[in-house]
Amino acid sequence: MKIVAKKVVIYSMLGLMQVGMFSSVAAAAPGPLHNDNSQRIAYLDRDDRHDRDNDRKHKHDERKRQENERHEREMKRRPHESNREWRERQEHEKDRHDKALREIAAFLIGIAIGSGSSDN
């Protein structure tokens, strides 16, 4: 009887140890055992919005770069211009350039406001 009791205790311990090992493996598994997919969808939505914001930011940066290049070209003196004509053109170009940069900045602020309001 003692031998049977020892075997029962030993096999019970081995069984509990195996169950314990497999439960930790099951908990670490990425499968659908206890994982609801709503969290995964929310993360995908955030990544998608982040990609769209990056695209918009890239478009903003490209517009700003193009505007700065155009402004540099316009600020240079042309061969046929007098000093007075050149200064007048520079004044007009500075005003136009400042207005264009404000519009581009407003676009970026609109992106920030839009992405901030969609977080709720």
Side-chain angles (χ1 to χ4, degrees):
M1 185 72 180
K2 279 185 160 182
I3 296 174
V4 174
K6 285 182 183 180
K7 286 184 180 181
V8 168
V9 170
I10 290 174
Y11 286 125
S12 297
M13 294 283 283
L14 288 174
L16 287 174
M17 287 175 48
Q18 286 180 351
V19 169
M21 284 192 320
F22 288 120
S23 67
S24 63
V25 170
L33 296 176
H34 58 80
N35 188 10
D36 61 349
N37 290 330
S38 64
Q39 291 176 345
R40 183 173 287 160
I41 291 170
Y43 290 132
L44 290 175
D45 182 43
R46 284 186 195 150
D47 290 342
D48 185 37
R49 185 176 61 240
H50 182 67
D51 291 342
R52 281 183 280 154
D53 289 345
N54 280 345
D55 290 343
R56 289 177 183 163
K57 176 114 174 67
H58 179 70
K59 287 179 185 176
H60 166 264
D61 292 343
E62 182 63 22
R63 283 180 60 192
K64 190 171 181 180
R65 185 190 61 77
Q66 288 174 350
E67 171 59 27
N68 285 334
E69 287 176 358
R70 195 203 64 74
H71 178 68
E72 278 186 38
R73 282 193 311 270
E74 290 296 318
M75 292 300 281
K76 291 180 182 175
R77 186 173 179 177
R78 296 181 182 148
H80 63 282
E81 279 182 317
S82 67
N83 280 341
R84 186 178 59 83
E85 291 172 335
W86 180 49
R87 286 193 184 101
E88 285 178 7
R89 190 171 56 79
Q90 278 184 324
E91 282 183 40
H92 291 293
E93 173 54 27
K94 283 180 186 175
D95 291 340
R96 198 211 63 75
H97 180 67
D98 289 341
K99 182 180 177 184
L101 288 181
R102 281 192 301 271
E103 288 176 4
I104 293 171
F107 177 72
L108 186 62
I109 291 170
I111 291 170
I113 291 172
S115 66
S117 65
S118 66
D119 285 342
N120 295 334

